[in-house]
Amino acid sequence: MREVGRVRWVSGPVVKARLRVPLGLLEQVWVGGERLAGEVIASEHGEATVQVYEETSGLRPGEPVWSDGRPLEVELGPGLLGQTFDGIQRPLERLLRGGRGIDRGAAADALPERAWPFEPCVEPGLELPGGALLGAVRETELIEHRVLVPPAVGGRLTWIAPAGEVARDATVAVLTAPDGTAHEVGLVQRWPVREPRPVRRRLDATRPIVTGQRVLDTFFPIAVGGAAALPGPFGAGKTVLQHSLAKGCDAQVIVYVGCGERGNEMAQVLAEFPALTDPATGRPLLERTILVANTSNMPVAAREASIFTGLAMAEYYRDMGYHVALMADSTSRWAEALREIAGRLEEMPAEEGYPAYLPSRLAAFYERAGVVETLSGARGSVTIIGAVSPPAGDVTEPVTQHTQRFTRALWSLSRDLASARHYPAIGWEASYSFYGDAVAGWWEAEGGEGWTELRHAAAQVLEQDARLEPIVRLVGSEALPDRQRWVLEAARLLKEGYLRQNALHPVDAACPPRKQVELLRLFVRLFELGRDLVAAGVPLVRLRRALDTRRLLRLKESVPNDDPSAVTAALAELERDLAALRAGAPAPSGRDDAEVPT
Amino acid sequence: MRARIDVLGASRIEGPLLVLEGFGRAAYGELVEVLGAGEPRLGEVLASSDEAAVIELWGDTAGLAPERLRVRFRGETLRVPVATEMLGRVFDGLGRPRDGLPPPVAERRVDVHGSPINPVARAYPQDAVHTGITAIDLLNTLVRGQKLPLLSGAGLPHNELAAQIALQARVAQPDERFAVVFVALGSSHDTAAFFRERFEASGLLSRTALFLNLADDAPMERIVTPRVALSLAEHLAFDHDYHVLVLLTDMTNYAEALRELAARKNEVPGRKGYPGYLYTDLATLYERCGRLRGGAGSLTQIPIVTMPGDDITHPVPDLTGYITEGQVVLGRALSRGGLYPPVDVLLSLSRLMKDGIGEGRTRADHAAVAAQLYAAYARVQEVRNLATVVGEAALTPTDRTYLAFGRTFEERVLQQDGDEIRSIDASLDLGWQALSELPAEELTRVGEEELRAHYRGRLHGRVGAAEVPGEEDDGERR
Ligand SMILES: Nc1ncnc2c1ncn2[C@@H]1O[C@H](COP(=O)(O)OP(=O)(O)OP(=O)(O)O)[C@@H](O)[C@H]1O
Ligand SMILES: [Mg+2]
């Protein structure tokens, strides 16, 4: 690290420095006596503009600026999983030094200093390109950490560490390039924060990320490698949904970026996740999770960087051949950070004060989602789910509008549903997904036969219901014929018994595919059976009395997730009871008395 | 930082900004005192270069002659003394005594801007504060370390409710280490006096520190006032293990002062003229709240926001809602109908409630009862809307039971006196009493066990505590 210039001007997170040594764009610098971390965002005529990632009060003109000539980078290697970082990848746990705050200029390695059991998988003598697999380290019980040749390096493997303990900073392999230069490859590698990692090619999405949320999986699915936006007014359930996905979705690695949001929410994740286990392995969920926490009161420039810090780590695990899901809560706060810095630079504002490059930044962010063939030929993916917080819930504002251009699924949260405590408050009219066709094959095979038809039929029920709603509001449902009142009734059961899902319920928090399909089948069949009965002249009153709605509505909670056969049985029972109605037989006695299910 | 420096004469004054050309040694954020024109005025360095310093003044700049001023750079950011002996005292908006007593002896002097809490240093708040108010305890449980604003409107009883929460929280959970920090931001003398009297009458005053920036005090000072007050609150909560309740009234005045300052600085205005950084600025206040790992104290905030035009989408309540952990919304129609506290239940929400209630904390059935009350009350609104169109007579019998439930819920459950303390059991039982107006099959959010134990309404036979007449009203026959 050497001194490269001196502070000439300071205002908030933006500093201008007069340089003695020229600096490149995106180079990392340290500013002032306290060595505050920063990054060069403009550099010309011997002057650099720096965004500083820490609070700058007390900084004065004339203080020195240092650089080591490298871009702002993340550290990549075993030990990322389970940790919590700030926006520039400082490990928050290790920055805790007695006090409750974060000391200015505090620095700590992102990765813990420890040894890892290394298992090589190649022999010296091989020609290895960038991205090739060298061996593996068991990072957590859930994730095997694959050690790869860095993308830009390649050559003949001249040495590889034998199986056994390897220290964090050790070299694990030496490659000799055709020109004779030797490259030492370490367990820990560095990568520029803002640079996408190279891949061989992009692939088509063919399977869903199973979110465990019925309303999403059924109506608005997201494909592995897809991008979804989650806009909603305050309190509508963005964070709870993001947390639910981080806990319950079937991605292999989760990167959760809390970007400009609440400290207590991060505390909640840290309190909850260690106790939650992966249903497949029984291991703590934290073993597949990386948290980036740059809360709303932490420096705004680091909030801007936090998204890229998260992405770089996500792509790193993707390159090992994992399916990674990145949740960003909230991208609006990230956009506001851009706006704030642009304002300090007195850049020309475009819409609502945001800089003109807002759309291209958003595009570049969501474009990094995708399924890829990695440099080593493996298949990996990054799926991005970005929460959006539109002011006043007004979705015509720039961030929501531009985000919609670059994402193919929109999960729009409705204030009305939320205030009626219908969660997840995904409005089925305003939301959409273009991934339905891509994932249908998977659902038919893995979820249950007839998925495509069932979801179509269920959507029809909701649509008919939506069409009746304005009429009901005018004349009341009593004035409608039985046929239409049954649509209202069936839609209510579908919403209550299927779409509504309680994130806090031990069973219902995440619903596996087979149970989803069986439940969906039940509510769709119920609608059809009832419709046919009413058409055959059975009065709605009798149909209603034959139904134990309390029991049907609680099936999602009462039936265990790993064995949905009770749902199938309930459907069979329903078909039998309703067939009896049609035959003109009296409803079985006792039904009226709403027997208590146990 | 370094020693203080005095500079004679400024180059010019632009609105609230004082520019000193030729002075290249100011530190960003440094505290500045301007002398030579009556009372010293305070400000801080907004931008500093090797050629000039730009200072933002918190007081009025009218009538200042730049060339005749003495500008003192204090060599540090604004720091205030904090001490437990500040409880029982009254201060102005910058933390100077306003009660004629000598300045407190500082235990520490702290930077008013505080420093953001490391997220991993936080403990997740889970202890319910018992306020004795059903609308809060049963439906929007307040948790120690939470920030829960009252979103209200001009003329609604938010002050009464805030005072009631503070007083009853103390009475219901007698705690030696309980303190109140009361922050007036552009409030009237009457408002400040109201709180003062309520606290005094109940003996809470000796545990309260009041920071008053009143309506006729300099509006720019208002930007500093909450920071000064929160510095004391943090000291009490995190250095002395107090359970501190901070009442801020009124955040709308605070935001207006910020808007005024931004306008005078010619910044690009955002929505309704508020600066684009209003979210971040409010967050630097509201996030100064919570609990710490290994610490026994807590800092709870109840900011009061009067919504201009009762509009919840106005930037101040909107951004507040985006930062705080829920909101208690007061409704004008409810208040006009004589309901106290006039809490609009469906718009209100306590986000930390879920982990603060239940078995061992409040009562096992709490979550289910609250969920069911919300769901049923949401239906009440639908039915009421329908009834105004088609008339009550055209409603289904089930819908009519919802109307009855709605009345009981508002009149028996929500309604309570301004000094009434209800136990959580009493609140829960009242909730069940209202739910018992509904047929059991409507109660889909409560479990069988709970139904059997608490439901007293129309059950069909065997399930519950109540015996039911044999002949069932089928609910639909006309
Ligand atoms: N799926 C759910 N199940 C149960 N409760 C929920 C669910 N979703 C949301 N809630 C309730 O709504 C509250 C607010 O949700 P959340 O914090 O996710 O809102 P948000 O959209 O992230 O708001 P903000 O933009 O202010 O951060 C939660 O605290 C919880 O009480
Ligand atoms: Mg949120």
Side-chain angles (χ1 to χ4, degrees):
Chain A
M1 206 189 293
R2 60 182 175 147
E3 199 186 306
V4 291
R6 301 218 159 233
V7 172
R8 187 184 72 71
W9 179 89
V10 49
S11 173
V14 179
V15 166
K16 292 185 179 168
R18 192 167 285 137
L19 301 176
R20 279 192 285 110
V21 181
L23 288 179
L25 207 57
L26 307 186
E27 251 177 64
Q28 169 150 33
V29 290
W30 288 267
V31 178
E34 288 180 300
R35 306 211 173 187
L36 309 174
E39 183 184 3
V40 178
I41 55 174
S43 179
E44 52 178 18
H45 311 310
E47 182 169 289
T49 305
V50 173
Q51 76 179 19
V52 180
Y53 293 122
E54 303 182 65
E55 173 57 47
T56 53
S57 61
L59 193 65
R60 276 182 298 138
E63 289 196 53
V65 174
W66 286 276
S67 150
D68 61 4
R70 302 176 68 98
L72 182 70
E73 291 171 320
V74 282
E75 279 178 37
L76 301 170
L80 291 173
L81 293 169
Q83 283 208 75
T84 307
F85 300 102
D86 78 351
I88 50 169
Q89 212 203 15
R90 293 186 297 178
L92 288 173
E93 191 71 46
R94 267 172 286 132
L95 289 188
L96 272 183
R97 299 219 181 88
R100 60 178 185 266
I102 299 171
D103 294 341
R104 296 207 299 180
D109 295 333
L111 296 167
E113 198 171 348
R114 56 160 282 189
W116 297 91
F118 176 70
E119 198 65 57
C121 70
V122 283
E123 299 277 335
L126 277 176
E127 240 0 277
L128 294 178
L133 188 61
L134 290 168
V137 155
R138 174 121 323 258
E139 183 174 359
T140 66
E141 289 289 330
L142 288 176
I143 297 295
E144 175 192 78
H145 192 104
R146 296 170 191 146
V147 183
L148 308 175
V149 177
V153 175
R156 207 160 54 83
L157 184 69
T158 43
W159 179 82
I160 187 151
E165 297 274 300
V166 172
R168 179 192 66 177
D169 297 319
T171 299
V172 288
V174 179
L175 285 104
T176 310
D179 66 5
T181 45
H183 288 287
E184 293 191 354
V185 177
L187 206 50
V188 176
Q189 303 172 7
R190 302 177 67 84
W191 186 260
V193 167
R194 293 170 196 277
E195 199 172 307
R197 289 172 63 88
V199 298
R200 209 178 267 172
R201 62 194 174 110
R202 290 174 76 99
L203 303 171
D204 287 336
T206 53
R207 58 150 293 178
I209 290 270
V210 176
T211 66
Q213 303 297 306
R214 291 181 293 268
V215 61
L216 298 183
D217 288 341
T218 306
F219 291 127
F220 314 111
I222 181 166
V224 160
L230 176 59
F234 70 76
K238 298 178 290 295
T239 305
V240 172
L241 191 61
Q242 296 263 39
H243 284 190
S244 298
L245 298 184
K247 292 172 196 167
C249 85
D250 68 351
Q252 292 163 298
V253 173
I254 305 287
V255 178
Y256 191 98
V257 186
C259 170
E261 292 288 316
R262 301 171 182 81
N264 278 337
E265 286 172 353
M266 297 316 295
Q268 183 190 359
V269 172
L270 291 168
E272 267 179 28
F273 275 48
L276 291 168
T277 51
D278 175 41
T281 57
R283 300 294 309 175
L285 276 179
L286 215 49
E287 292 189 357
R288 68 162 189 180
T289 310
I290 301 173
L291 299 169
V292 179
N294 212 95
T295 55
S296 54
N297 55 338
M298 286 163 79
V300 69
R303 187 200 296 174
E304 189 275 327
S306 65
I307 293 269
F308 297 99
T309 298
L311 265 176
M313 294 190 283
E315 288 182 349
Y316 177 62
Y317 283 90
R318 172 201 67 190
D319 291 347
M320 294 178 207
Y322 289 112
H323 295 298
V324 185
L326 178 131
M327 284 104 196
D329 185 13
S330 157
T331 60
S332 294
R333 306 304 167 216
W334 169 72
E336 285 166 9
L338 278 182
R339 175 168 71 184
E340 220 168 305
I341 291 158
R344 296 272 183 182
L345 292 171
E346 299 188 341
E347 286 176 6
M348 192 58 146
E351 298 160 277
E352 297 199 6
Y354 288 105
Y357 47 78
L358 172 71
S360 58
R361 293 283 173 93
L362 279 169
F365 168 60
Y366 285 107
E367 272 305 301
R368 287 172 74 171
V371 189
V372 304
E373 185 180 317
T374 67
L375 294 179
S376 68
R379 197 183 168 89
S381 68
V382 172
T383 305
I384 298 182
I385 297 158
V388 186
S389 315
D394 169 16
V395 295
T396 63
E397 60 89 37
V399 181
T400 319
Q401 282 302 308
H402 293 304
T403 300
Q404 282 191 52
R405 293 165 53 202
F406 311 123
T407 51
R408 299 187 62 212
L410 182 76
W411 300 336
S412 179
L413 293 172
S414 134
R415 195 190 296 257
D416 287 346
L417 286 177
S419 63
R421 268 56 174 182
H422 175 107
Y423 299 119
I426 307 279
W428 36 88
E429 277 148 54
S431 304
Y432 57 76
S433 162
F434 288 118
Y435 297 111
D437 292 341
V439 305
W442 186 94
W443 273 97
E444 291 280 346
E446 307 288 327
E449 221 167 288
W451 180 80
T452 314
E453 271 167 42
L454 287 172
R455 95 187 254 265
H456 185 68
Q460 292 275 307
V461 175
L462 293 178
E463 206 181 301
Q464 290 181 41
D465 175 63
R467 256 185 278 136
L468 289 172
E469 203 204 274
I471 306 173
V472 173
R473 249 185 291 140
L474 276 183
V475 299
S477 60
E478 287 288 81
L480 300 180
D482 274 5
R483 181 173 50 84
Q484 294 187 329
R485 287 171 62 193
W486 174 244
V487 172
L488 299 177
E489 183 76 20
R492 188 179 74 85
L493 295 173
L494 182 69
K495 290 179 209 169
E496 274 278 302
Y498 188 74
L499 297 182
R500 196 166 75 73
Q501 195 166 345
N502 183 355
L504 308 175
H505 194 278
V507 174
D508 200 33
C511 187
R514 281 194 50 231
K515 184 172 162 190
Q516 287 195 31
V517 176
E518 289 318 305
L519 278 170
L520 184 62
R521 196 186 309 284
L522 179 131
F523 286 103
V524 167
R525 281 298 291 153
L526 172 60
F527 165 70
E528 293 168 349
L529 291 166
R531 178 195 59 196
D532 297 348
L533 284 174
V534 170
V538 175
L540 186 60
V541 180
R542 286 197 48 215
L543 172 56
R544 278 208 185 137
R545 270 205 271 160
L547 297 175
D548 182 353
T549 44
R550 255 184 72 82
R551 174 171 167 223
L552 294 177
L553 293 182
R554 296 181 71 87
L555 282 175
K556 58 187 180 185
E557 293 169 358
S558 60
V559 174
N561 281 338
D562 53 4
D563 178 17
S565 60
V567 180
T568 322
L571 176 57
E573 204 177 308
L574 198 65
E575 300 211 339
R576 211 174 43 238
D577 290 355
L578 295 186
L581 264 191
R582 161 167 257 166
S589 69
R591 268 276 156 255
D592 288 60
D593 296 339
E595 217 165 286
V596 185
T598 38
Chain B
M1 262 187 214
R2 57 159 165 66
R4 58 180 60 176
I5 298 178
D6 278 13
V7 179
L8 280 178
S11 316
R12 58 182 188 276
I13 291 173
E14 296 171 1
L17 304 181
L18 193 66
V19 181
L20 266 79
E21 306 264 5
F23 182 73
R25 283 176 296 156
Y28 173 69
E30 182 172 2
L31 180 66
V32 174
E33 238 174 320
V34 176
L35 312 163
E39 280 271 289
R41 286 160 222 240
L42 294 179
E44 75 185 10
V45 176
L46 195 66
S48 173
S49 77
D50 51 8
E51 289 156 1
V54 180
I55 295 152
E56 172 181 303
L57 282 184
W58 294 321
D60 202 357
T61 54
L64 287 186
E67 61 285 356
R68 284 205 298 272
L69 297 175
R70 173 187 293 271
V71 182
R72 173 168 296 165
F73 290 85
R74 293 273 295 264
E76 59 173 22
T77 50
L78 178 56
R79 287 173 173 268
V80 289
V82 290
T84 44
E85 66 164 57
M86 290 169 76
L87 292 173
R89 301 281 312 267
V90 186
F91 304 92
D92 73 0
L94 294 177
R96 298 171 295 209
R98 198 175 174 134
D99 50 11
L101 298 171
V105 178
E107 286 165 20
R108 283 177 57 194
R109 295 185 73 247
V110 299
D111 183 338
V112 295
H113 299 286
S115 81
I117 299 178
N118 181 336
V120 308
R122 288 180 183 271
Y124 184 53
Q126 292 185 303
D127 298 328
V129 179
H130 181 207
T131 69
I133 303 166
T134 302
I136 308 276
D137 293 353
L138 177 61
L139 298 161
N140 297 290
T141 313
L142 176 67
V143 172
R144 279 180 168 163
Q146 181 173 19
K147 39 195 178 292
L148 188 66
L150 301 184
L151 305 187
S152 184
L156 295 180
H158 41 262
N159 291 335
E160 286 75 3
L161 184 57
Q164 193 183 359
I165 292 172
L167 297 176
Q168 297 191 172
R170 158 102 180 106
V171 180
Q173 275 168 321
D175 192 330
E176 275 310 297
R177 295 199 172 252
F178 179 82
V180 174
V181 172
F182 174 81
V183 193
L185 301 165
S187 321
S188 67
H189 286 266
D190 287 352
T191 303
F194 165 81
F195 278 98
R196 217 198 137 96
E197 277 156 27
R198 290 293 309 266
F199 293 161
E200 184 138 46
S202 56
L204 195 63
L205 205 55
S206 62
R207 303 177 165 277
T208 302
L210 296 97
F211 291 85
L212 307 180
N213 168 281
L214 299 178
D216 50 5
D217 291 329
M220 291 311 128
E221 236 175 70
R222 215 159 282 165
I223 292 162
V224 183
T225 309
R227 296 180 162 83
V228 172
L230 286 165
S231 298
L232 174 63
E234 284 178 336
H235 177 67
L236 295 173
F238 303 138
D239 298 334
H240 288 288
D241 290 343
Y242 272 81
H243 292 296
V244 185
L245 182 65
V246 180
L247 303 177
L248 299 133
T249 182
D250 178 331
M251 289 307 292
T252 306
N253 295 340
Y254 169 83
E256 271 165 15
L258 199 67
R259 174 170 69 179
E260 188 183 328
L261 184 63
R264 289 168 63 197
K265 287 191 288 189
N266 288 322
E267 288 175 351
V268 187
R271 290 174 64 229
K272 295 222 155 106
Y274 291 93
Y277 50 79
L278 181 59
Y279 173 85
T280 302
D281 186 277
L282 289 175
T284 58
L285 301 179
Y286 294 145
E287 277 289 320
R288 293 175 77 172
C289 183
R291 311 198 49 178
L292 297 181
R293 252 159 60 179
S298 64
L299 201 168
T300 309
Q301 279 191 27
I302 301 190
I304 292 170
V305 180
T306 53
M307 305 183 279
D310 290 352
D311 177 12
I312 199 169
T313 67
H314 180 279
V316 182
D318 186 51
L319 294 179
T320 297
Y322 269 122
I323 303 164
T324 53
E325 285 130 359
Q327 66 283 340
V328 171
V329 182
L330 301 191
R332 194 166 298 278
L334 293 170
S335 181
R336 218 180 272 136
L339 181 69
Y340 178 88
V343 174
D344 187 327
V345 167
L346 294 179
L347 292 180
S348 303
L349 171 72
S350 164
R351 305 195 191 187
L352 300 185
M353 170 173 178
K354 52 188 183 291
D355 298 296
I357 61 171
E359 183 97 69
R361 295 185 180 274
T362 53
R363 206 169 85 181
D365 57 331
H366 192 158
V369 176
Q372 186 65 66
L373 285 168
Y374 279 127
Y377 194 55
R379 179 83 183 272
V380 169
Q381 305 304 325
E382 278 173 34
V383 174
R384 281 181 182 166
N385 289 341
L386 185 60
T388 58
V389 182
V390 301
E392 249 185 70
L395 297 175
T396 64
T398 308
D399 282 351
R400 282 201 293 272
T401 64
Y402 273 98
L403 291 182
F405 160 79
R407 278 189 298 271
T408 309
F409 179 68
E410 287 167 2
E411 290 164 14
R412 306 288 312 273
V413 184
L414 293 184
Q415 173 72 43
Q416 91 184 71
D417 290 340
D419 57 0
E420 180 185 354
I421 302 183
R422 280 196 199 140
S423 70
I424 184 64
D425 271 311
S427 289
L428 281 162
D429 292 344
L430 282 172
W432 277 110
Q433 194 178 323
L435 289 175
S436 297
E437 301 265 357
L438 296 170
E441 60 273 18
E442 291 294 314
L443 307 184
T444 56
R445 311 226 173 166
V446 295
E448 302 308 327
E449 292 292 321
E450 290 152 347
L451 206 58
R452 210 169 289 143
H454 303 285
Y455 181 70
R456 295 290 176 275
R458 198 168 50 112
L459 264 180
H460 297 175
R462 299 152 262 184
V463 209
E467 270 312 311
V468 194
E471 185 48 21
E472 172 215 0
D473 163 22
D474 95 46
E476 298 302 327
R477 222 168 287 133
R478 292 211 280 167

